[in-house]
């Protein structure tokens, strides 16, 4: 330890001595402006250029994160200003016995599975289709990105009407096949139907986005690999799974992490799907209340900010764990080539 | 070790320089446009239509140093925004409208609002409906955070054409006579559904709330203790009875299916506070002349109504109070009533011919200037507890589950009590 402490001090002294000696040292050529600029450019410019990100992250990312952690350890109720002070781990302890939290976690997980898995699989298939020679190729490629460009609130509100019980298009389409003629599906009455409806909205928005990411990765795969495979008699399906997927594996891992984070923070879709949106209960019995929604409810409806902060931290940890597990799994499934 | 230290030192230096740059770029943008040459801009936050557009022009003409900025947003968003600004300590509007349903929440933070009693608002107490005055008064009675604008009142809107098809009377006094009590109301509903095989009311919750509003004690007593066995039980039992009789179309208010129900005849009756008339007219303009307004079973009742408050954060408290005072004067209140239908909460105005003689052509010339004031006056004030909002949502959710057939009616009351208790302690 003593050496590490001494080191910066001595280096500082030496540096100071060196700087002082510039003028007097006859051997040392006085650096010109050009040299200084050049040195500044080489040494410091990268830091200047990446600094804005870290500064903004400090202000809008790290600080709120830490502040949130502090609040999580306090009593902080807007409707009862007298109740303040440290709560210790009480907020976190309350979490374990809270049925609403576990229900929300279950819902979040369910919707996440129903959205991420089909979403990434379909994106893969869409990307491999776009990767072929097509007429109006650019049109198709831009086209799949359109849902992503649509404002999420707008599309969710359209879907909310789409899945309405009495005059919704979803039930009308199902009715064409004779499903639910007398007793139309009430999309908001039970978990499964609600989950499917919400997962549909998520998938619709993100399939195109992921497909373009995959497409970009696929473009870097050399053609001759496919040609060789075709010569060996591998069909398109086999080529997709045996060549494309392993070769774009880092991108797949990336999209899995992205969709994990997004899926666990799911908020706007379940929020606006609710007929009584402002209550943030996610259905009459919390059928599709996600964790993000529950945090919002606890914070801004029950006005219990301390507990909401604790939930946010719990969500953060859960995302870390799930994203880690997903990365491991994806790595395994696609051949573990990224390392 | 040496190296890493100097690197860190560099990174920190560069970071600081960068921060200074960012700070330099962002300087002086937050200047308030307020007080240049005695000019004052007052921002009013509200939702929907408070009928303020014409009044703004009028006030600005009379007060050249004042500019008024009207900011209409979504109902819940405005209240949540106000709550956030109160916590943050800045950014709230100079005048913020608050609805009855949110009043309790804000009243308990009365230290964050200008005490209007200090400004001399005490002289208005006698002009207001007693319960309306009390609703925005802090628990200790020392701080008045708002002055009432409109009040809901309660009546029943019904479709004359659908009533006629079901062989029911259509004239408004005869219809009122059909349902002196809620029991009779449910019987009429059964007659209607039996004849037409259609639903009678829009939603169970829209039956529950008016009935609860008529009870002496609502969800909470004045000590803020949950009182499920009294008022709520009465309202709940009637609602379950109506649901079991198959009267409810199970629609959620202000949603697409509900709005469509006004034109498609998904329901024939709905509880109608004064402000609902504007919504029906806007949603279903094609149904003009098919609606009429009858009395609500069981006497008076109230649903909704708003207040104007001045958050302490306002930089122009005096000017804001002057405007607020002007807005609640009889002349302005009558103009708002004529324009958008919001019923004033100062009973002296009810005898003013401008209100008393007003008939609404959309609702078969129903004498709304008679119906709603009568309801507002025949009202027993009910204490709304701090947790009234979440508790109401919890019980409404149980009713929705019964309507969805995911919960048996027999098990519903126990579930409602459980959920209400959870909401009251959350």
């Amino acid at each position: 330890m003593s050496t590490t402490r001494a080191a910066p001090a001595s280096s500082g002294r030496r540096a100071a001595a060196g700087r002082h000696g510039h003028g007097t040292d006859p051997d040392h050529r006085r650096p010109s402006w050009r040299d200084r600029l050049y040195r500044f450019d080489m040494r410091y410019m990268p830091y200047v250029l990446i600094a804005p990100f870290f500064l903004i992250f400090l202000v809008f990312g790290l600080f709120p994160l830490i502040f949130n952690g502090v609040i999580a350890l306090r009593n902080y109720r807007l409707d009862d200003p007298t109740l303040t002070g440290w709560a210790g781990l009480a907020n976190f302890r309350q979490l374990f016995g809270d049925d609403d939290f576990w229900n929300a976690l279950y819902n979040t997980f369910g919707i996440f599975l129903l959205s991420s898995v089909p979403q990434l699989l379909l994106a893969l298939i869409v990307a491999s289709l776009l990767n072929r020679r097509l007429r109006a190729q650019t049109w198709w490629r831009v086209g799949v990105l359109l849902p992503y460009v649509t404002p999420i609130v707008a599309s969710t509100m359209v879907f909310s009407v789409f899945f309405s019980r009495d005059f919704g298009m979803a039930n009308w389409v199902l009715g064409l096949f004779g499903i639910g003629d007398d007793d139309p599906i009430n999309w908001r009455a039970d978990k499964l139907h609600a989950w499917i409806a919400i997962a549909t909205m998520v998938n619709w928005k993100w399939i195109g986005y992921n497909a373009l990411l995959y497409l970009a990765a696929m473009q870097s795969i050399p053609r001759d690999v496919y040609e060789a495979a075709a010569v060996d008699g591998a069909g398109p399906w086999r080529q997709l799974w045996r060549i494309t997927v392993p070769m774009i594996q880092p991108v797949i891992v990336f999209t899995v992490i992205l969709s994990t984070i997004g899926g666990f923070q799911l908020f706007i879709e379940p929020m606006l799907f609710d007929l009584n949106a402002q209550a943030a209960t996610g259905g009459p019995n919390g059928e599709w209340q996600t964790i993000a929604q529950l945090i919002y409810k606890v914070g801004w409806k029950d006005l219990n900010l301390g507990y909401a902060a604790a939930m946010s931290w719990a969500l953060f940890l859960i995302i870390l764990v799930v994203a880690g597990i997903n990365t491991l799994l994806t790595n395994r499934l696609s051949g573990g080539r990224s390392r | 070790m040496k190296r890493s230290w100097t690197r860190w030192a560099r990174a920190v230096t560069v970071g600081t320089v960068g921060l200074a740059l960012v700070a330099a770029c962002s300087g002086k943008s937050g200047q308030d446009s307020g007080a240049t040459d005695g000019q004052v801009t007052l921002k009013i936050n509200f939702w929907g239509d408070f009928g303020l557009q014409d009044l703004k022009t009028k006030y600005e003409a009379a007060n050249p140093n004042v500019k008024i900025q009207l900011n209409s947003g979504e109902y819940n968003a405005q209240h949540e925004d106000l709550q956030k600004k109160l916590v943050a300590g800045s950014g709230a509007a100079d005048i913020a409208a608050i609805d009855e349903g949110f009043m309790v929440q804000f009243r308990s933070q009365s230290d964050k609002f200008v005490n209007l009693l200090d400004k001399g608002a005490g002289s208005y107490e006698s002009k207001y409906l007693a319960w309306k005055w009390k609703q925005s008064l802090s628990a200790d009675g020392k701080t008045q955070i708002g002055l009432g604008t409109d009040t809901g009142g309660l009546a029943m809107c019904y479709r004359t054409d659908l009533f006629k098809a079901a062989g029911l009377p259509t004239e408004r006094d005869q219809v009122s006579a059909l349902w002196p009590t809620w029991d009779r109301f449910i019987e009429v509903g059964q007659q209607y559904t039996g004849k037409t095989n259609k639903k009678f009311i829009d939603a169970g919750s829209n039956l529950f709330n008016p009935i609860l509003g008529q009870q002496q004690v609502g969800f909470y007593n004045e000590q803020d203790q949950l009182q499920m066995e009294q008022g709520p039980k009465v309202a709940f039992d009637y609602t379950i009875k109506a649901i079991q009789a198959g009267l409810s179309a199970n629609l959620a208010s202000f949603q697409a299916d509900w709005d469509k129900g006004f034109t498609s005849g998904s329901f024939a009756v709905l509880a109608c506070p004064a402000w609902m008339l504007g919504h029906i007219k806007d949603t279903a303009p094609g149904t003009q002349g098919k609606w009429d307004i009858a009395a609500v079973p069981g006497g008076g009742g109230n649903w909704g109504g708003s207040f104007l408050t001045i958050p302490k954060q306002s930089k122009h408290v005096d000017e804001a109070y002057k405007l607020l005072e002007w807005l609640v004067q009889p002349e302005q209140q009558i103009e708002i009533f004529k324009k958008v239908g919001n019923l004033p909460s100062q009973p002296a105005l009810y005898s003013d011919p401008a209100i008393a003689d007003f008939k609404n052509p959309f609702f078969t010339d129903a004498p709304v200037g008679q119906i709603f004031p009568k309801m507002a006056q025949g009202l027993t004030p009910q204490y709304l507890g701090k947790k009234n909002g979440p508790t109401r949502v919890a019980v409404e959710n149980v009713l929705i589950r019964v309507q969805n057939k995911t919960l048996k009616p027999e098990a519903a009351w126990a579930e409602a009590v459980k959920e209400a208790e959870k909401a009251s302690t959350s």
Side-chain angles (χ1 to χ4, degrees), chain A residues 47 51 55, chain B residues 10-20:
Chain A
Y47 294 108
L55 289 174
Chain B
R10 266 178 217 155
V12 169
T13 321
V14 170
T16 320
V17 170
L19 186 64

Side-chain angles (χ1 to χ4, degrees), chain B residues 373-420:
Chain B
K374 213 162 80 191
M375 290 302 147
Q377 281 170 310
L379 192 75
T380 43
Q382 190 187 80
Y383 175 78
L384 299 173
K386 224 191 243 181
K387 288 283 180 187
N388 193 68
T391 312
R392 202 193 66 229
V393 169
V395 174
E396 281 178 0
N397 276 339
V398 173
L399 290 171
I400 293 171
R401 284 158 67 192
V402 176
Q403 290 179 135
N404 284 347
K405 298 194 177 68
T406 51
L407 182 68
K408 287 217 165 61
E410 306 82 59
W413 177 245
E415 185 74 7
V417 172
K418 196 187 98 193
E419 292 290 326

